[in-house]
Amino acid sequence: MAKFGASVVILERNSAIAEFGAGLQISPNARHILNQLGLDRAIAANSFAPTGIDVYSSPHRSPVVTLELGAVIAQRYGAPYVVMHRADLVEALYKTCRRFANIDIIFDAHRWEANANGAEPYHRRANPKPAPLRHRICPDWRGWRSFQHPH
């Protein structure tokens, strides 16, 4: 949305960009989306493309099956299957967002609400400082929700 001139506000519950979790498996479909966000070089520099994955069953000492990945998957789907550390992806996403003047990242956003009181919706934090929002997309336990202010 920022590439098309929209002002974007990202509300982050953590107080800063921090390492959390372990590794991520990024499928070719996810890789296409991340590449469109301009993350292709960062992901290529910080990821590993395994040639295959061995699947084991608890009583077996050898793999039940080996899933072929590597060049086969990259050729079939147009992008590789890769694994990378979660912190490296978060850092790449953060740096990409910072390149846009119309993206604001607000950390420590535990309590907020969107409200159409007046001309535009706003968010509130513990130390309220309203910021105009025209469109908000947020994940929650029910899935992705999108709210747009009527013009």
PDB file of all heavy atoms in Angstrom, residues 27-50:
ATOM      1  N   SER A  27       8.255 -21.186   1.819  1.00  0.00           N
ATOM      2  CA  SER A  27       7.851 -21.892   0.603  1.00  0.00           C
ATOM      3  C   SER A  27       8.044 -20.997  -0.620  1.00  0.00           C
ATOM      4  O   SER A  27       8.183 -19.779  -0.495  1.00  0.00           O
ATOM      5  CB  SER A  27       6.379 -22.293   0.708  1.00  0.00           C
ATOM      6  OG  SER A  27       5.557 -21.139   0.603  1.00  0.00           O
ATOM      7  N   PRO A  28       8.038 -21.578  -1.816  1.00  0.00           N
ATOM      8  CA  PRO A  28       8.146 -20.760  -3.021  1.00  0.00           C
ATOM      9  C   PRO A  28       7.042 -19.689  -3.117  1.00  0.00           C
ATOM     10  O   PRO A  28       7.313 -18.566  -3.551  1.00  0.00           O
ATOM     11  CB  PRO A  28       8.045 -21.775  -4.153  1.00  0.00           C
ATOM     12  CG  PRO A  28       8.589 -23.032  -3.573  1.00  0.00           C
ATOM     13  CD  PRO A  28       8.110 -23.018  -2.143  1.00  0.00           C
ATOM     14  N   ASN A  29       5.809 -20.015  -2.705  1.00  0.00           N
ATOM     15  CA  ASN A  29       4.730 -19.013  -2.752  1.00  0.00           C
ATOM     16  C   ASN A  29       5.038 -17.833  -1.842  1.00  0.00           C
ATOM     17  O   ASN A  29       4.867 -16.672  -2.223  1.00  0.00           O
ATOM     18  CB  ASN A  29       3.396 -19.637  -2.351  1.00  0.00           C
ATOM     19  CG  ASN A  29       2.855 -20.552  -3.412  1.00  0.00           C
ATOM     20  OD1 ASN A  29       3.246 -20.484  -4.568  1.00  0.00           O
ATOM     21  ND2 ASN A  29       1.946 -21.427  -3.027  1.00  0.00           N
ATOM     22  N   ALA A  30       5.493 -18.121  -0.630  1.00  0.00           N
ATOM     23  CA  ALA A  30       5.861 -17.050   0.300  1.00  0.00           C
ATOM     24  C   ALA A  30       7.046 -16.259  -0.235  1.00  0.00           C
ATOM     25  O   ALA A  30       7.099 -15.037  -0.107  1.00  0.00           O
ATOM     26  CB  ALA A  30       6.172 -17.630   1.673  1.00  0.00           C
ATOM     27  N   ARG A  31       7.980 -16.957  -0.849  1.00  0.00           N
ATOM     28  CA  ARG A  31       9.161 -16.295  -1.400  1.00  0.00           C
ATOM     29  C   ARG A  31       8.775 -15.311  -2.509  1.00  0.00           C
ATOM     30  O   ARG A  31       9.335 -14.210  -2.598  1.00  0.00           O
ATOM     31  CB  ARG A  31      10.142 -17.351  -1.930  1.00  0.00           C
ATOM     32  CG  ARG A  31      11.421 -16.815  -2.518  1.00  0.00           C
ATOM     33  CD  ARG A  31      12.282 -16.118  -1.453  1.00  0.00           C
ATOM     34  NE  ARG A  31      13.426 -15.490  -2.056  1.00  0.00           N
ATOM     35  CZ  ARG A  31      14.607 -16.073  -2.172  1.00  0.00           C
ATOM     36  NH1 ARG A  31      14.802 -17.291  -1.709  1.00  0.00           N
ATOM     37  NH2 ARG A  31      15.600 -15.424  -2.745  1.00  0.00           N
ATOM     38  N   HIS A  32       7.813 -15.684  -3.356  1.00  0.00           N
ATOM     39  CA  HIS A  32       7.342 -14.761  -4.399  1.00  0.00           C
ATOM     40  C   HIS A  32       6.815 -13.473  -3.776  1.00  0.00           C
ATOM     41  O   HIS A  32       7.128 -12.371  -4.240  1.00  0.00           O
ATOM     42  CB  HIS A  32       6.240 -15.404  -5.245  1.00  0.00           C
ATOM     43  CG  HIS A  32       6.736 -16.401  -6.238  1.00  0.00           C
ATOM     44  ND1 HIS A  32       7.585 -16.083  -7.274  1.00  0.00           N
ATOM     45  CD2 HIS A  32       6.494 -17.730  -6.365  1.00  0.00           C
ATOM     46  CE1 HIS A  32       7.859 -17.161  -7.983  1.00  0.00           C
ATOM     47  NE2 HIS A  32       7.205 -18.178  -7.450  1.00  0.00           N
ATOM     48  N   ILE A  33       6.030 -13.582  -2.730  1.00  0.00           N
ATOM     49  CA  ILE A  33       5.465 -12.404  -2.059  1.00  0.00           C
ATOM     50  C   ILE A  33       6.571 -11.569  -1.433  1.00  0.00           C
ATOM     51  O   ILE A  33       6.601 -10.340  -1.583  1.00  0.00           O
ATOM     52  CB  ILE A  33       4.419 -12.824  -1.013  1.00  0.00           C
ATOM     53  CG1 ILE A  33       3.203 -13.424  -1.717  1.00  0.00           C
ATOM     54  CG2 ILE A  33       4.008 -11.641  -0.136  1.00  0.00           C
ATOM     55  CD1 ILE A  33       2.241 -14.133  -0.806  1.00  0.00           C
ATOM     56  N   LEU A  34       7.489 -12.207  -0.739  1.00  0.00           N
ATOM     57  CA  LEU A  34       8.591 -11.474  -0.111  1.00  0.00           C
ATOM     58  C   LEU A  34       9.480 -10.811  -1.158  1.00  0.00           C
ATOM     59  O   LEU A  34       9.955  -9.689  -0.951  1.00  0.00           O
ATOM     60  CB  LEU A  34       9.400 -12.416   0.783  1.00  0.00           C
ATOM     61  CG  LEU A  34       8.645 -12.923   2.016  1.00  0.00           C
ATOM     62  CD1 LEU A  34       9.413 -14.055   2.686  1.00  0.00           C
ATOM     63  CD2 LEU A  34       8.364 -11.802   2.981  1.00  0.00           C
ATOM     64  N   ASN A  35       9.688 -11.467  -2.301  1.00  0.00           N
ATOM     65  CA  ASN A  35      10.459 -10.857  -3.391  1.00  0.00           C
ATOM     66  C   ASN A  35       9.766  -9.603  -3.914  1.00  0.00           C
ATOM     67  O   ASN A  35      10.409  -8.599  -4.219  1.00  0.00           O
ATOM     68  CB  ASN A  35      10.668 -11.845  -4.530  1.00  0.00           C
ATOM     69  CG  ASN A  35      11.656 -12.943  -4.182  1.00  0.00           C
ATOM     70  OD1 ASN A  35      12.310 -12.901  -3.151  1.00  0.00           O
ATOM     71  ND2 ASN A  35      11.735 -13.939  -5.043  1.00  0.00           N
ATOM     72  N   GLN A  36       8.433  -9.648  -4.026  1.00  0.00           N
ATOM     73  CA  GLN A  36       7.685  -8.473  -4.493  1.00  0.00           C
ATOM     74  C   GLN A  36       7.789  -7.315  -3.514  1.00  0.00           C
ATOM     75  O   GLN A  36       7.640  -6.156  -3.897  1.00  0.00           O
ATOM     76  CB  GLN A  36       6.223  -8.841  -4.725  1.00  0.00           C
ATOM     77  CG  GLN A  36       6.010  -9.741  -5.921  1.00  0.00           C
ATOM     78  CD  GLN A  36       4.585 -10.249  -6.025  1.00  0.00           C
ATOM     79  OE1 GLN A  36       3.731  -9.937  -5.219  1.00  0.00           O
ATOM     80  NE2 GLN A  36       4.331 -11.061  -7.040  1.00  0.00           N
ATOM     81  N   LEU A  37       8.050  -7.614  -2.257  1.00  0.00           N
ATOM     82  CA  LEU A  37       8.250  -6.559  -1.250  1.00  0.00           C
ATOM     83  C   LEU A  37       9.674  -6.013  -1.277  1.00  0.00           C
ATOM     84  O   LEU A  37      10.013  -5.133  -0.505  1.00  0.00           O
ATOM     85  CB  LEU A  37       7.936  -7.095   0.150  1.00  0.00           C
ATOM     86  CG  LEU A  37       6.481  -7.457   0.413  1.00  0.00           C
ATOM     87  CD1 LEU A  37       6.343  -8.135   1.771  1.00  0.00           C
ATOM     88  CD2 LEU A  37       5.595  -6.227   0.327  1.00  0.00           C
ATOM     89  N   GLY A  38      10.508  -6.562  -2.163  1.00  0.00           N
ATOM     90  CA  GLY A  38      11.883  -6.084  -2.288  1.00  0.00           C
ATOM     91  C   GLY A  38      12.862  -6.792  -1.369  1.00  0.00           C
ATOM     92  O   GLY A  38      13.937  -6.270  -1.096  1.00  0.00           O
ATOM     93  N   LEU A  39      12.506  -7.978  -0.895  1.00  0.00           N
ATOM     94  CA  LEU A  39      13.351  -8.693   0.056  1.00  0.00           C
ATOM     95  C   LEU A  39      14.186  -9.801  -0.574  1.00  0.00           C
ATOM     96  O   LEU A  39      14.853 -10.550   0.140  1.00  0.00           O
ATOM     97  CB  LEU A  39      12.478  -9.289   1.170  1.00  0.00           C
ATOM     98  CG  LEU A  39      11.723  -8.275   2.024  1.00  0.00           C
ATOM     99  CD1 LEU A  39      10.743  -8.978   2.927  1.00  0.00           C
ATOM    100  CD2 LEU A  39      12.688  -7.441   2.823  1.00  0.00           C
ATOM    101  N   ASP A  40      14.173  -9.921  -1.897  1.00  0.00           N
ATOM    102  CA  ASP A  40      14.860 -11.038  -2.545  1.00  0.00           C
ATOM    103  C   ASP A  40      16.348 -11.111  -2.206  1.00  0.00           C
ATOM    104  O   ASP A  40      16.871 -12.176  -1.893  1.00  0.00           O
ATOM    105  CB  ASP A  40      14.619 -11.043  -4.051  1.00  0.00           C
ATOM    106  CG  ASP A  40      14.765  -9.686  -4.696  1.00  0.00           C
ATOM    107  OD1 ASP A  40      14.623  -8.662  -4.003  1.00  0.00           O
ATOM    108  OD2 ASP A  40      15.014  -9.640  -5.908  1.00  0.00           O
ATOM    109  N   ARG A  41      17.058  -9.991  -2.241  1.00  0.00           N
ATOM    110  CA  ARG A  41      18.501 -10.010  -1.943  1.00  0.00           C
ATOM    111  C   ARG A  41      18.764 -10.347  -0.481  1.00  0.00           C
ATOM    112  O   ARG A  41      19.673 -11.119  -0.171  1.00  0.00           O
ATOM    113  CB  ARG A  41      19.129  -8.665  -2.280  1.00  0.00           C
ATOM    114  CG  ARG A  41      19.246  -8.424  -3.754  1.00  0.00           C
ATOM    115  CD  ARG A  41      19.984  -7.148  -4.042  1.00  0.00           C
ATOM    116  NE  ARG A  41      19.890  -6.837  -5.456  1.00  0.00           N
ATOM    117  CZ  ARG A  41      19.997  -5.638  -5.952  1.00  0.00           C
ATOM    118  NH1 ARG A  41      20.221  -4.606  -5.156  1.00  0.00           N
ATOM    119  NH2 ARG A  41      19.888  -5.438  -7.249  1.00  0.00           N
ATOM    120  N   ALA A  42      17.991  -9.759   0.415  1.00  0.00           N
ATOM    121  CA  ALA A  42      18.182 -10.017   1.850  1.00  0.00           C
ATOM    122  C   ALA A  42      17.917 -11.478   2.183  1.00  0.00           C
ATOM    123  O   ALA A  42      18.647 -12.091   2.966  1.00  0.00           O
ATOM    124  CB  ALA A  42      17.275  -9.112   2.675  1.00  0.00           C
ATOM    125  N   ILE A  43      16.887 -12.058   1.579  1.00  0.00           N
ATOM    126  CA  ILE A  43      16.581 -13.465   1.843  1.00  0.00           C
ATOM    127  C   ILE A  43      17.663 -14.357   1.243  1.00  0.00           C
ATOM    128  O   ILE A  43      18.137 -15.293   1.893  1.00  0.00           O
ATOM    129  CB  ILE A  43      15.183 -13.837   1.319  1.00  0.00           C
ATOM    130  CG1 ILE A  43      14.128 -13.137   2.166  1.00  0.00           C
ATOM    131  CG2 ILE A  43      14.979 -15.349   1.359  1.00  0.00           C
ATOM    132  CD1 ILE A  43      12.724 -13.308   1.672  1.00  0.00           C
ATOM    133  N   ALA A  44      18.085 -14.071   0.030  1.00  0.00           N
ATOM    134  CA  ALA A  44      19.136 -14.882  -0.602  1.00  0.00           C
ATOM    135  C   ALA A  44      20.424 -14.846   0.220  1.00  0.00           C
ATOM    136  O   ALA A  44      21.116 -15.862   0.347  1.00  0.00           O
ATOM    137  CB  ALA A  44      19.390 -14.392  -2.025  1.00  0.00           C
ATOM    138  N   ALA A  45      20.746 -13.694   0.800  1.00  0.00           N
ATOM    139  CA  ALA A  45      21.978 -13.552   1.578  1.00  0.00           C
ATOM    140  C   ALA A  45      21.903 -14.228   2.944  1.00  0.00           C
ATOM    141  O   ALA A  45      22.941 -14.573   3.517  1.00  0.00           O
ATOM    142  CB  ALA A  45      22.306 -12.068   1.761  1.00  0.00           C
ATOM    143  N   ASN A  46      20.697 -14.427   3.473  1.00  0.00           N
ATOM    144  CA  ASN A  46      20.550 -14.924   4.838  1.00  0.00           C
ATOM    145  C   ASN A  46      19.813 -16.245   4.947  1.00  0.00           C
ATOM    146  O   ASN A  46      19.353 -16.608   6.034  1.00  0.00           O
ATOM    147  CB  ASN A  46      19.824 -13.881   5.694  1.00  0.00           C
ATOM    148  CG  ASN A  46      20.649 -12.642   5.892  1.00  0.00           C
ATOM    149  OD1 ASN A  46      21.691 -12.692   6.518  1.00  0.00           O
ATOM    150  ND2 ASN A  46      20.198 -11.534   5.322  1.00  0.00           N
ATOM    151  N   SER A  47      19.668 -16.960   3.841  1.00  0.00           N
ATOM    152  CA  SER A  47      18.925 -18.213   3.884  1.00  0.00           C
ATOM    153  C   SER A  47      19.741 -19.351   3.282  1.00  0.00           C
ATOM    154  O   SER A  47      20.786 -19.136   2.679  1.00  0.00           O
ATOM    155  CB  SER A  47      17.599 -18.065   3.129  1.00  0.00           C
ATOM    156  OG  SER A  47      17.828 -17.879   1.749  1.00  0.00           O
ATOM    157  N   PHE A  48      19.207 -20.532   3.449  1.00  0.00           N
ATOM    158  CA  PHE A  48      19.828 -21.746   2.921  1.00  0.00           C
ATOM    159  C   PHE A  48      18.754 -22.527   2.183  1.00  0.00           C
ATOM    160  O   PHE A  48      17.641 -22.694   2.693  1.00  0.00           O
ATOM    161  CB  PHE A  48      20.396 -22.572   4.080  1.00  0.00           C
ATOM    162  CG  PHE A  48      20.814 -23.960   3.692  1.00  0.00           C
ATOM    163  CD1 PHE A  48      21.960 -24.168   2.936  1.00  0.00           C
ATOM    164  CD2 PHE A  48      20.072 -25.050   4.088  1.00  0.00           C
ATOM    165  CE1 PHE A  48      22.350 -25.446   2.575  1.00  0.00           C
ATOM    166  CE2 PHE A  48      20.454 -26.337   3.737  1.00  0.00           C
ATOM    167  CZ  PHE A  48      21.596 -26.531   2.985  1.00  0.00           C
ATOM    168  N   ALA A  49      19.069 -22.994   0.972  1.00  0.00           N
ATOM    169  CA  ALA A  49      18.120 -23.784   0.188  1.00  0.00           C
ATOM    170  C   ALA A  49      18.523 -25.256   0.262  1.00  0.00           C
ATOM    171  O   ALA A  49      19.450 -25.690  -0.432  1.00  0.00           O
ATOM    172  CB  ALA A  49      18.099 -23.309  -1.261  1.00  0.00           C
ATOM    173  N   PRO A  50      17.858 -26.035   1.113  1.00  0.00           N
ATOM    174  CA  PRO A  50      18.228 -27.450   1.234  1.00  0.00           C
ATOM    175  C   PRO A  50      17.877 -28.226  -0.037  1.00  0.00           C
ATOM    176  O   PRO A  50      16.944 -27.877  -0.750  1.00  0.00           O
ATOM    177  CB  PRO A  50      17.394 -27.940   2.426  1.00  0.00           C
ATOM    178  CG  PRO A  50      16.240 -26.998   2.504  1.00  0.00           C
ATOM    179  CD  PRO A  50      16.736 -25.683   1.974  1.00  0.00           C
TER     180      PRO A  50
END
